[in-house]
Amino acid sequence: IVEYARQRHIEVIPEIDIPGHTKALLAAYPELGCKGGPYTVSHNWGVHHDVLCVGNERVYAVLQDIIDELNQVFPSAYFNIGGDEAPSTRWQQCKRCQDKAKEQGIDTKHLQQYFTKRMEQYINGKGKTMIGWDEILEGGLAPNATVMSWRGIGGAIEAAKSNHDAIMTPVSYCYFDYYQTDKTDKEPLAIGGYVPVERVYSFNPYPDALNKEQQKHILGVQANVWTEYIKTFKHVQYMVLPRFAALAEVQWEDPAKPKDYNQFLQRLMRLLPIYQLEGY
Ligand code: ACM
Ligand code: ZN
């Protein structure tokens, strides 16, 4: 996959999600959780209180091994550690986590900041830049991190203002698992939301809240297609097309140039035969 993509000038960036979204890891290695398990692999998506015990040194050793193994597969200059949706519930009840927080002179709630900084140090030591979802801003950003702004554009603004790079992927414009029409009874069941192609096309990734220099930190846009409600690749295609075309123009167009949705629709009509030719 990495090579196939490289030949098409696409760099595949790996993402593992830590310290939250780790129920499968905990089920296999219960000693890595605050309570020691037993844990089960989650049968449902969502946010779970059981996350990695950030007070346990063994966790760092295991994660460093995982990063080393993935680095052999992915030559990308970036490594994404996720970092979203990690509640501190268990850390606040865990002796090891409390001790770690005391040692670091921080609130137990902010242990994710300590954890993320340590992960970044390791990733930077391998010559790579760390990416994380905007939750990694909370309690202070790791020194060289690139932020993926998903809960809105605020994370990207905060990151850019403190001289960090950011990727714009707010739910309200860039979540292609959301419905694309408001006739939801005529659509395949989706996770929710409403992001029609016109809305995608209207996105401005360079907010006025940033000056010209700060705007240079916005690396670009990203669409997300989570597949909880999507069983087949055909359905993936249905969800991303033609919204990809709209987001591609958002990315490629000079942001100073006025946008005209009706003109975009004319260009889009010329794309449809290409989609058909490719069997999309
Ligand atoms: C996310 O959608 N939880 C990044
Ligand atoms: Zn713990």
Side-chain angles (χ1 to χ4, degrees):
I1 289 167
V2 170
E3 178 57 17
Y4 181 89
R6 191 198 61 78
Q7 288 167 6
R8 288 153 183 82
H9 311 286
I10 294 167
E11 179 178 317
V12 179
I13 300 172
E15 176 189 357
I16 58 172
D17 210 348
I18 47 175
H21 288 292
T22 42
K23 292 268 287 182
L25 182 55
L26 289 173
Y29 300 93
E31 68 274 19
L32 302 183
C34 291
K35 296 177 95 171
Y39 301 100
T40 51
V41 175
S42 180
H43 294 185
N44 221 327
W45 52 87
V47 181
H48 301 287
H49 288 294
D50 287 315
V51 301
L52 297 176
C53 175
V54 292
N56 182 352
E57 284 303 309
R58 178 85 192 118
V59 164
Y60 298 92
V62 167
L63 292 178
Q64 288 172 8
D65 275 355
I66 291 173
I67 291 168
D68 287 347
E69 286 192 30
L70 286 172
N71 282 348
Q72 292 171 27
V73 181
F74 299 96
S76 171
Y78 289 98
F79 192 101
N80 185 346
I81 55 110
D84 62 321
E85 301 178 322
S88 61
T89 328
R90 297 287 183 260
W91 302 340
Q92 302 196 41
Q93 299 153 354
C94 167
K95 176 76 170 62
R96 273 188 303 220
C97 285
Q98 287 163 1
D99 288 349
K100 182 60 83 181
K102 218 171 280 159
E103 171 203 298
Q104 293 299 314
I106 57 175
D107 194 289
T108 324
K109 278 204 298 282
H110 290 147
L111 275 172
Q112 186 173 355
Q113 172 207 0
Y114 163 80
F115 168 84
T116 305
K117 282 185 177 157
R118 249 182 98 165
M119 285 297 114
E120 168 165 89
Q121 224 165 28
Y122 190 76
I123 289 163
N124 286 171
K126 301 288 166 183
K128 296 187 181 233
T129 300
M130 187 189 74
I131 304 179
W133 297 106
D134 58 38
E135 281 92 333
I136 67 168
L137 280 158
E138 285 161 26
L141 192 53
N144 310 305
T146 294
V147 172
M148 293 219 288
S149 195
W150 74 281
R151 294 176 299 178
I153 61 170
I157 291 171
E158 191 182 334
K161 281 190 171 167
S162 56
N163 281 324
H164 286 261
D165 285 347
I167 297 155
M168 283 289 197
T169 180
V171 282
S172 52
Y173 293 92
C174 296
Y175 270 46
F176 291 0
D177 54 339
Y178 283 11
Y179 282 107
Q180 48 196 325
T181 81
D182 53 4
K183 313 261 184 318
T184 52
D185 57 329
K186 296 199 168 61
E187 293 289 323
L189 184 67
I191 195 160
Y194 177 45
V195 179
V197 64
E198 185 168 8
R199 170 114 187 131
V200 177
Y201 190 69
S202 74
F203 183 45
N204 171 19
Y206 304 99
D208 293 339
L210 298 176
N211 65 34
K212 280 274 164 283
E213 270 316 295
Q214 291 164 340
Q215 285 182 5
K216 288 182 186 158
H217 284 296
I218 306 297
L219 298 182
V221 293
Q222 169 177 305
N224 293 322
V225 191
W226 310 110
T227 54
E228 291 98 324
Y229 286 78
I230 303 176
K231 285 186 193 160
T232 63
F233 189 54
K234 227 178 164 50
H235 189 178
V236 171
Q237 292 174 351
Y238 178 77
M239 298 307 275
V240 301
L241 300 176
R243 291 187 284 196
F244 264 169
L247 197 63
E249 282 210 12
V250 166
Q251 174 74 75
W252 291 330
E253 278 290 351
D254 177 356
K257 222 176 101 180
K259 274 194 271 195
D260 183 326
Y261 182 63
N262 285 321
Q263 281 182 14
F264 166 74
L265 285 183
Q266 286 171 26
R267 289 189 292 281
L268 183 59
M269 293 317 277
R270 293 201 297 269
L271 275 179
L272 297 186
I274 297 174
Y275 293 170
Q276 270 156 10
L277 189 70
E278 297 284 350
Y280 300 152

